[in-house]
């Protein structure tokens, strides 16, 4: 009997006392949608199924029943607001919806005031921030991620500009702003924004007017940010205008995928109008629960509409609310409401505002929603600190004639891929360009060839190409007098390149400059940024400050700054024979002659009579032998192996030095030699003399900014004739200009020459606006001209001319430097060192064999100095084949040295040395 009462009491305790009160029998939630739309119809069925599943599971809400109330806003924002107000009077704990961002911005203020959580899976405006709207929660990936995916697709295919067609409401405008930001991160941009009337008010005529304008524009990449009704109408009109053919790209947001998933079959008219388009679909991983729900769908919907991912999100949103309510009740919270004190001033009005009340458990329920951690039909459901669904991802779909095909995925984790995102989450993120992959789509016009993404507009507009109106060096570019024709090297290169493009380019040349002096090229390039020119061609140097504002093509000619200065002929002098070698080379060569002579003398001294004799004679022998090797006329024969080894190497070195000297001296005495006091840019930097430059050239700013040469020293010169006059009269010490101009100048002026080296490396290119696709195509064409030889033929036509034969193109010193021969000297020095080292080892070994350490009669070991003197005497001794005789003489010398040392040590007056018959030395001291 006690057990019978124990069970009810336990239920009462845990169900009432521990939970702070009885569970409510009914829990009201509301939904605000336009149920005449695809997403509205799908969401209605999915939410009802979810409520039924929650109520059929007693483990979720226990004895409480979840009641869903639906409100049809019918495309009206005002109707949606009225529905929200009605829910606030019905003690509603949460609201699902609204369907679009316009209503979400307004109703969120009500939710904030009355603390009722507002959950939406279709109002995905990225500006609905958690700070401004804390009670608004997006249960599907918001449009920021969808725009990121579109931007990555645009970048992946190499397009740089898109045209955005968007519905002019909060959702469209804010999505457009997010797309612009994401494109800018990838150096892409929206070139034009076409606004559609709010859905569903757009008419065919209005859309026709908009698309006709777009057809005349350059970009062919269209991004359609709208809703299903307006979107399908846009595609229909575009198809009738031929804008769904070759060359066009259409990328639609997820509204198109909902049409494909939920409307089956599509009408033939609709299918034809959307062929080749790309669209996104929220990615939901495959699971048993998802497959089971899909199999239930036909029963739930009665076959009236197909399931799309937003139906899955609708189902999961109901379960998110149910789990959050369960957690609230389990935490001891209550479902209670109280009057809002702020509404007291409005009591008695027809609006009945006093009926609205604050949900006391709203904040706790909101926290539970944000802490959701469950597995839903859409996969794992969790929110990150920014209150966004974790791991947002999209399927990328290509619309075909009979349906659609998935060509890849995009995820916020790893970007574009052809494998499902969930298989990549366990790996480190890799967003490198080589790792971004998609399958090849079929583009509009039923082609597999990727559209270029842009064309020249067919509204009659021509490219306005600025060209410098030069007055000098007209071989590069010039206008034919009295006509609009232009000619020159740069013009021929441009025409040859543009003829290689696979499309026609209408253009016209516009000369820039007054015709009296060369124009300023920096100003000419800047006019591209002000839309005065669409491009600039000519002898325009690619320099840093210009690349910051425009894009250049591949250089079609190399050009760098060089220095031109007067040169004079060097006359022969009495000391001309010294000029082939530099002073350092003369010193090192003389030193090695002495070193080699000394080394050979050391190696030959013991066994070669020609290297012996009095000291004065031996010094003369060393000098004569070393110098005579210069002419291979040395009379002394070498008999030692090491001596011959050193001599062979030295004679080879002498041969090379002698040949080089002869060749250089011959050149100096027979060829005209040119000299200039200016040796290069370093000379100009340290001097104070004026420097000339070409009018309009970048050389003026470069010399001033890079080398700190004051502008007061820089003199502007307008023509080659002015170059020659200024250099002749000494008005300028040198002229700094680009090599291409200088080579033309020097072809007619033999009194001047290039001195020093080229001190900049640059080239000439054609300038276009930033991110212009024409710059890329022209670069490809220039590379083709270079590879097939046409670029060189154009160069030879305009710039090859007869040059002065009396000198080379560039002045260079013809003296021989030590750096050209240091390898030979190094080999010779190593050979001398090795020979001396081996000779020393050999001498020490022979000496130790013949004169081991001995102890004198008094028992004292010979001193080191005595042994060293003995060794030196041994080395100096002539080897004549009689070792005993040599040894006897050395022994006598050694004994004599030892006797003197003993006398000094013992205080004796002398020491007598006696030679025994066997050659040994005996010594004794005189008695005191």
């Amino acid at each position: 009997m006690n057990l019978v009462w124990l069970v009810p009491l336990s239920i009462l305790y845990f169900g009432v006392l521990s939970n702070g009160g009885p569970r409510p029998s009914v829990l009201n939630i509301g939904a605000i949608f336009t149920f005449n739309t695809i997403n509205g119809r799908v969401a209605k069925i999915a939410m009802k199924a979810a409520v039924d599943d929650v109520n059929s599971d007693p483990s979720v809400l226990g004895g409480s029943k979840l009641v869903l109330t639906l409100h049809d806003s019918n495309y009206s924002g005002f109707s949606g607001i009225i529905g929200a107000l009605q829910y606030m009077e019905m003690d509603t704990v949460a609201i699902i919806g609204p369907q679009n961002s316009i209503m979400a911005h307004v109703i969120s203020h009500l939710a904030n005031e009355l603390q009722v959580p507002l959950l939406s899976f279709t109002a995905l405006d990225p500006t609905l921030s958690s700070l401004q709207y804390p009670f608004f929660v997006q249960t599907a990936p918001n449009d920021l991620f969808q725009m990121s995916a579109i931007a990555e697709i645009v970048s992946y295919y190499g397009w740089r500009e898109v045209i955005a067609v968007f519905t002019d409401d909060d959702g469209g405008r804010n999505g457009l702003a997010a797309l612009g930001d994401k494109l800018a991160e990838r150096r892409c941009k929206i070139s034009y924004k076409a606004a559609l009337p709010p859905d569903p008010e757009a008419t065919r005529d209005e859309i026709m007017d908009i698309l006709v304008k777009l057809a005349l524009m350059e970009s062919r990449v269209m991004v359609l940010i709208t809703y299903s009704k307006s979107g399908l109408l846009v595609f229909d009109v575009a198809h009738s205008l031929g804008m769904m053919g070759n060359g066009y790209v259409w990328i639609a947001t997820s509204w198109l995928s909902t049409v494909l998933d939920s409307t089956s079959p599509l009408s033939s008219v609709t299918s034809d109008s959307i062929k080749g388009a790309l669209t996104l679909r929220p990615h939901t991983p495959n699971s048993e629960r998802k497959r089971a729900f899909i199999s239930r769908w036909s029963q739930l919907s009665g076959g009236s509409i197909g399931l799309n991912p937003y139906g899955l999100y609708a189902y999961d949103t109901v379960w998110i609310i149910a789990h959050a309510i369960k957690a609230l009740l389990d935490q001891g919270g209550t479902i209670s409401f109280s009057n809002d004190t702020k509404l007291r001033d409005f009591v008695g009005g027809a609006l009945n505002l006093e009926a609205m009340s604050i949900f006391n458990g709203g904040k706790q329920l909101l926290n539970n929603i944000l802490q959701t951690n469950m597995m839903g039909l859409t996969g794992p459901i969790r929110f990150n600190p920014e209150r966004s669904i974790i791991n947002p991802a999209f399927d990328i779909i290509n619309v075909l004639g009979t349906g659609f095909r998935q060509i890849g995925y995009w995820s916020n984790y790893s970007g574009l891929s052809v494998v499902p995102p969930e298989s990549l989450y366990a790996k480190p993120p890799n967003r490198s360009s080589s790792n971004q992959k998609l399958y090849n789509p079929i583009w509009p016009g039923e082609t597999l060839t990727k559209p270029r993404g842009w064309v020249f507009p067919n509204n009659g507009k021509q490219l306005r190409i600025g060209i410098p109106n030069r007055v000098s060096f007209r071989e590069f570019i010039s206008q034919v007098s009295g006509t609009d024709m232009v000619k020159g090297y740069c013009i021929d290169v441009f025409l040859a390149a543009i003829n290689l493009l696979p499309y026609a380019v209408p253009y016209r040349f516009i000369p820039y400059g007054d015709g009296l002096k060369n124009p300023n090229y920096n100003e000419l390039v800047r006019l591209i940024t002000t839309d005065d020119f669409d491009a600039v061609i000519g002898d325009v140097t690619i320099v840093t400050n210009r690349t910051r504002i425009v894009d250049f093509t591949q250089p079609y000619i190399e050009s760098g700054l060089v220095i031109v200065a007067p040169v004079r002929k060097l006359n022969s002098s009495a000391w001309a024979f010294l000029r082939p070698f530099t002073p350092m080379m003369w010193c090192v060569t003389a030193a090695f002659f002495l070193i080699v002579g000394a080394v050979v003398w050391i190696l030959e001294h013991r066994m070669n009579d020609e290297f012996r004799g009095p000291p004065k004679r031996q010094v003369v022998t060393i000098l004569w032998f070393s110098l005579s090797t210069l002419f291979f006329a040395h009379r002394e024969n070498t008999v030692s192996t090491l001596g011959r080894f050193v001599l062979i190497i030295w004679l080879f070195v002498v041969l090379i030095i002698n040949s080089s000297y002869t060749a250089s001296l011959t050149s100096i005495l027979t060829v005209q030699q040119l000299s200039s006091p200016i040796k290069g840019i370093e000379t100009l930097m340290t001097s104070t003399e004026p420097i000339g430059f070409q009018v309009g050239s970048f050389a003026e700013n470069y010399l001033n900014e890079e080398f700190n040469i004051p502008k007061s020293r820089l003199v502007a010169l307008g023509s080659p004739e002015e170059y020659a006059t200024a250099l002749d009269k000494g008005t300028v010490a040198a002229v700094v200009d680009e090599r291409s101009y200088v080579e033309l100048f020097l072809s007619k002026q033999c009194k001047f020459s290039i001195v020093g080296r080229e001190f900049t490396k640059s080239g000439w290119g054609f300038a276009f606006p930033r991110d212009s696709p024409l710059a890329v195509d022209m670069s490809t064409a220039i590379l083709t001209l270079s590879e097939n030889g046409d670029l060189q033929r154009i160069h030879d036509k305009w710039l090859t001319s007869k040059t002065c034969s009396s000198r080379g193109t560039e002045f260079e010193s013809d003296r021989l430097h030590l750096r050209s021969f240091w390898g030979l000297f190094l080999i010779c020095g190593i050979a001398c060192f090795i020979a001396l080292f081996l000779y020393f080892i050999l001498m020490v070994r022979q000496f130790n064999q013949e004169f081991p350490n001995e102890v004198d009669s008094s028992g004292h070991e010979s001193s080191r100095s005595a042994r060293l003197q003995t060794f030196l005497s041994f080395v100096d001794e002539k080897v004549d084949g009689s070792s005993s005789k040599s040894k006897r003489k050395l022994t006598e010398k050694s004994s004599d040295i030892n006797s003197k040392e003993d006398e000094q040590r013992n205080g004796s007056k002398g020491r007598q040395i006696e030679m025994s018959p066997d050659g040994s030395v005996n010594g004794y001291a005189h008695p005191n």
Side-chain angles (χ1 to χ4, degrees):
M1 191 65 180
N2 293 334
L3 292 174
V4 175
W5 287 101
L6 181 60
V7 174
L9 290 174
S10 299
I11 295 175
L12 179 64
Y13 175 78
F14 289 105
V16 178
L17 298 179
S18 63
N19 291 336
R23 287 177 178 264
S25 59
V26 175
L27 295 167
N28 294 317
I29 61 173
I32 303 174
F33 281 87
T34 298
F35 293 117
N36 192 31
T37 62
I38 293 176
N39 283 339
R41 293 165 61 193
V42 170
K44 180 178 180 179
I45 298 171
M47 288 187 294
K48 286 183 176 180
V51 170
D52 292 341
D53 291 345
V54 169
N55 290 333
S56 63
D57 188 351
S59 65
V60 181
L61 297 179
S64 300
K65 181 180 179 181
L66 199 63
V67 176
L68 174 66
T69 304
L70 302 173
H71 178 80
D72 188 356
S73 60
N74 196 24
Y75 298 103
S76 171
F78 177 75
S79 177
I81 296 172
I82 295 300
L85 291 173
Q86 290 175 347
Y87 287 142
M88 301 305 179
E89 298 176 357
M90 298 169 54
D91 293 344
T92 302
V93 298
I95 299 175
I96 301 176
Q99 188 168 344
N100 59 52
S101 299
I102 300 174
M103 289 186 283
H105 280 279
V106 177
I107 297 175
S108 290
H109 290 288
L110 293 175
N112 293 346
E113 181 65 27
L114 302 178
Q115 299 183 10
V116 177
L118 187 64
L119 293 80
S120 181
F121 48 86
T122 54
L124 303 174
D125 186 346
T127 64
L128 289 164
S129 67
S130 57
L131 294 177
Q132 186 178 7
Y133 308 108
F135 279 84
F136 182 79
V137 179
Q138 293 170 329
T139 58
N142 71 35
D143 286 343
L144 179 65
F145 301 109
Q146 187 169 193
M147 299 309 160
S148 296
I150 293 175
E152 290 204 32
I153 292 172
V154 170
S155 178
Y156 173 78
Y157 287 113
W159 302 314
R160 286 292 172 262
E161 295 184 3
V162 304
I163 293 176
V165 183
F166 67 101
T167 294
D168 193 12
D169 61 10
D170 286 356
R173 285 190 296 270
N174 294 328
L176 181 70
L179 176 62
D181 292 341
K182 293 301 179 180
L183 287 172
E185 291 176 3
R186 293 159 180 81
R187 287 198 65 186
C188 305
K189 67 178 182 179
I190 300 174
S191 60
Y192 186 78
K193 302 172 184 178
L196 301 174
D199 197 63
E201 299 175 6
T203 65
R204 185 178 185 85
D205 291 340
E206 290 173 326
I207 292 177
M208 179 74 73
D209 292 340
I210 293 171
L211 294 188
V212 167
K213 293 179 181 178
L214 301 187
L216 300 177
M217 295 183 180
E218 181 179 278
S219 179
R220 286 293 183 263
V221 182
M222 310 290 177
V223 178
L224 192 50
I225 307 171
T226 184
Y227 306 100
S228 58
K229 186 174 181 180
S230 297
L232 292 176
L233 188 55
V234 168
F235 274 119
D236 185 46
V237 175
H239 182 258
S240 66
L241 292 175
M243 297 176 68
M244 294 301 298
N246 285 340
Y248 280 91
V249 178
W250 286 86
I251 304 174
T253 50
S254 59
W255 66 265
L256 181 55
S257 67
T258 65
V259 173
L260 297 173
D261 289 329
S262 299
T263 306
S264 181
L266 292 173
S267 66
S268 59
V269 175
T270 302
S271 297
D272 290 341
S273 66
I274 61 176
K275 280 182 183 178
L278 300 181
T279 185
L280 301 177
R281 175 174 60 191
H283 175 70
T284 55
N286 288 323
S287 64
E288 290 294 333
R289 290 189 62 195
K290 177 182 173 182
R291 286 191 288 269
F293 187 78
I294 292 174
S295 64
R296 289 174 55 196
W297 183 257
S298 59
Q299 178 184 355
L300 294 172
S301 64
S304 61
I305 192 169
L307 176 65
N308 64 51
Y310 292 105
L312 303 178
Y313 283 110
Y315 183 91
D316 284 348
T317 301
V318 173
W319 275 94
I320 290 173
I321 295 173
H323 280 291
I325 293 174
K326 179 179 183 300
L328 172 67
L329 297 175
D330 291 344
Q331 293 163 359
T334 59
I335 306 299
S336 62
F337 297 85
S338 59
N339 293 330
D340 187 354
T341 57
K342 297 180 181 178
L343 299 177
R344 291 177 181 174
D345 295 338
F346 303 99
V347 173
L351 295 176
N352 195 28
L353 296 178
E354 66 273 12
M356 293 190 295
S357 55
I358 296 175
F359 177 27
N360 296 325
K363 289 184 178 180
Q364 191 173 358
L365 181 63
L366 175 65
N367 290 333
N368 292 341
I369 290 172
L370 297 177
Q371 293 172 10
T372 298
N373 187 357
M374 57 175 276
M375 182 63 68
L377 299 182
T378 58
I381 300 175
R382 292 196 303 274
F383 295 91
N384 60 26
E386 288 77 31
R387 299 173 58 165
S388 297
I389 289 290
I390 63 166
N391 298 329
F394 291 88
D395 302 332
I396 302 173
I397 293 172
N398 179 212
V399 182
L400 306 178
T402 57
F404 58 87
R405 169 175 169 259
Q406 188 167 320
I407 62 171
Y409 305 88
W410 177 89
S411 71
N412 195 44
Y413 185 78
S414 56
L416 303 174
S417 68
V418 293
V419 297
E422 53 269 17
S423 64
L424 300 175
Y425 293 147
K427 302 177 182 179
N430 186 353
R431 299 184 77 99
S432 63
S433 58
S434 60
N435 198 56
Q436 305 297 293
K437 296 179 181 178
L438 292 175
Y439 293 120
N440 292 329
I442 297 177
W443 301 102
E446 299 186 67
T447 177
L448 291 173
T449 303
K450 185 197 76 172
R452 191 170 66 248
W454 68 278
V455 294
F456 282 97
N458 55 3
N459 57 0
K461 179 183 176 183
Q462 295 178 319
L463 281 182
R464 299 160 299 170
I465 299 179
I467 60 171
N469 188 10
R470 295 193 59 87
V471 297
S472 63
F473 296 109
R474 294 171 63 85
E475 294 88 345
F476 293 106
I477 189 169
S478 63
Q479 185 175 9
V480 180
S481 300
T483 69
D484 293 333
M485 296 177 58
V486 290
K487 63 179 183 177
Y489 168 70
C490 301
I491 295 296
D492 280 5
V493 172
F494 173 78
L495 295 177
I498 211 164
N499 288 335
L500 292 178
L501 299 182
Y503 46 86
V505 181
Y507 61 87
R508 61 189 175 97
F509 295 123
I510 304 175
Y512 174 78
D514 56 12
L516 302 177
K517 63 179 181 179
N518 293 333
N520 186 303
Y521 279 56
N522 287 334
E523 182 63 21
L524 174 60
V525 171
R526 190 191 65 80
L527 291 177
I528 295 178
T529 64
T530 59
D531 200 34
D532 290 289
F533 293 134
D534 298 314
V536 168
I537 70 168
D539 48 340
V540 182
T541 307
I542 304 171
V543 293
T544 304
N545 65 321
R546 296 173 185 170
T547 58
R548 293 193 180 105
I549 59 175
V550 297
D551 280 351
F552 281 94
T553 62
Q554 171 80 14
Y556 58 87
I557 188 173
E558 292 185 359
S559 185
L561 291 179
V562 294
I563 300 172
V564 181
V567 293
R568 60 182 176 84
K569 182 178 179 181
L570 290 177
N571 298 320
S572 298
S573 66
W575 302 101
F577 68 91
L578 295 176
R579 287 179 53 201
F581 286 167
T582 62
M584 179 59 71
M585 181 66 183
W586 279 116
C587 293
V588 173
T589 302
F592 263 84
F593 271 105
L594 297 178
I595 291 171
V596 171
V599 169
V600 173
W601 177 83
I602 292 172
L603 299 176
E604 296 289 323
H605 179 66
R606 292 193 76 225
M607 58 186 67
N608 193 337
D609 290 335
E610 295 181 352
F611 288 87
R612 298 187 62 81
K616 183 181 296 185
R617 177 187 171 187
Q618 295 183 48
V619 171
V620 172
T621 299
I622 292 173
L623 295 175
W624 167 253
F625 175 81
S626 59
L627 294 177
S628 62
T629 57
L630 178 63
F631 311 102
F632 305 97
H634 48 285
R635 294 177 302 174
E636 294 79 7
N637 294 320
T638 53
V639 297
S640 67
T641 302
L642 293 176
R644 290 173 178 176
F645 168 71
V646 171
L647 186 60
I648 288 174
I649 293 178
W650 173 244
L651 290 177
F652 176 74
V653 174
V654 169
L655 175 64
I656 301 299
I657 293 176
N658 199 354
S659 301
S660 302
Y661 175 86
T662 303
S664 179
L665 183 61
T666 302
S667 174
I668 290 173
L669 297 179
T670 59
V671 178
Q672 178 180 343
Q673 300 296 309
L674 303 177
S675 176
S676 171
I678 298 173
K679 305 302 180 184
I681 187 63
E682 295 80 7
T683 307
L684 294 180
M685 291 172 61
T686 56
S687 71
T688 58
E689 297 181 281
I691 304 169
F693 69 92
Q694 185 182 168
V695 173
S697 170
F698 75 98
E700 178 184 15
N701 289 335
Y702 188 85
L703 293 173
N704 177 249
E705 295 172 2
E706 298 296 329
F707 297 108
N708 296 320
I709 296 176
K711 288 192 175 183
S712 59
R713 289 182 55 197
L714 303 178
V715 179
L717 303 173
S719 65
E721 293 74 19
E722 291 186 26
Y723 286 12
T725 302
L727 290 171
D728 276 336
K729 294 183 177 181
T731 307
V732 296
V735 172
V736 175
D737 205 350
E738 296 183 69
R739 179 178 287 275
S740 301
Y741 302 119
V742 169
E743 288 176 348
L744 275 180
F745 170 70
L746 294 179
S747 66
K748 302 174 183 178
Q749 298 288 341
C750 297
K751 298 180 292 183
F752 313 106
S753 179
I754 297 174
V755 296
R757 297 182 178 182
E758 186 174 287
F759 57 91
T760 67
K761 291 291 183 182
S762 58
W764 293 353
F766 304 138
F768 291 89
R770 294 299 298 269
D771 302 321
S772 170
L774 187 57
V776 178
D777 290 353
M778 286 292 286
S779 293
T780 304
I782 290 172
L783 288 174
T784 303
L785 291 175
S786 176
E787 292 168 357
N788 62 23
D790 288 345
L791 202 59
Q792 184 62 43
R793 283 189 284 273
I794 297 172
H795 180 276
D796 295 341
K797 171 186 174 182
W798 288 98
L799 305 182
T800 300
S801 57
K802 186 176 180 179
T803 58
C804 298
S805 59
S806 60
R807 54 159 172 78
T809 304
E810 186 172 333
F811 168 73
E812 293 181 352
S813 175
D814 52 9
R815 307 188 76 181
L816 298 176
H817 296 265
L818 178 61
R819 61 176 175 267
S820 301
F821 300 93
W822 72 268
L824 288 173
F825 287 125
L826 178 64
I827 293 173
C828 185
I830 293 174
C832 292
F833 174 78
I834 293 174
L836 289 176
F837 180 75
L838 294 176
Y839 180 76
F840 176 75
I841 296 298
L842 181 64
M843 290 297 98
V844 170
R845 181 181 178 186
Q846 292 179 2
F847 178 75
N848 287 335
Q849 289 177 350
E850 296 191 19
F851 297 97
N853 289 335
E854 298 178 354
V855 181
D856 60 12
S857 59
S858 60
H860 297 284
E861 188 178 355
S862 299
S863 66
R864 289 185 179 180
S865 59
R867 189 164 180 80
L868 177 61
Q869 293 182 30
T870 303
F871 175 74
L872 294 177
S873 300
F874 173 77
V875 172
D876 184 61
E877 185 66 28
K878 173 71 170 64
V879 178
D880 56 0
S882 176
S883 60
S884 60
K885 181 179 180 181
S886 175
K887 182 176 180 180
R888 186 179 303 112
K889 291 181 179 180
L890 289 172
T891 304
E892 291 176 357
K893 292 181 180 180
S894 178
S895 300
D896 187 37
I897 292 171
N898 291 336
S899 298
K900 292 180 180 180
E901 290 182 353
D902 289 343
E903 288 177 0
Q904 294 174 357
R905 184 165 51 248
N906 300 326
S908 60
K909 298 181 181 179
R911 177 178 293 275
Q912 183 174 337
I913 301 175
E914 180 179 339
M915 182 72 70
S916 63
D918 61 356
S920 61
V921 181
N922 296 322
Y924 61 90
H926 289 284
N928 293 333

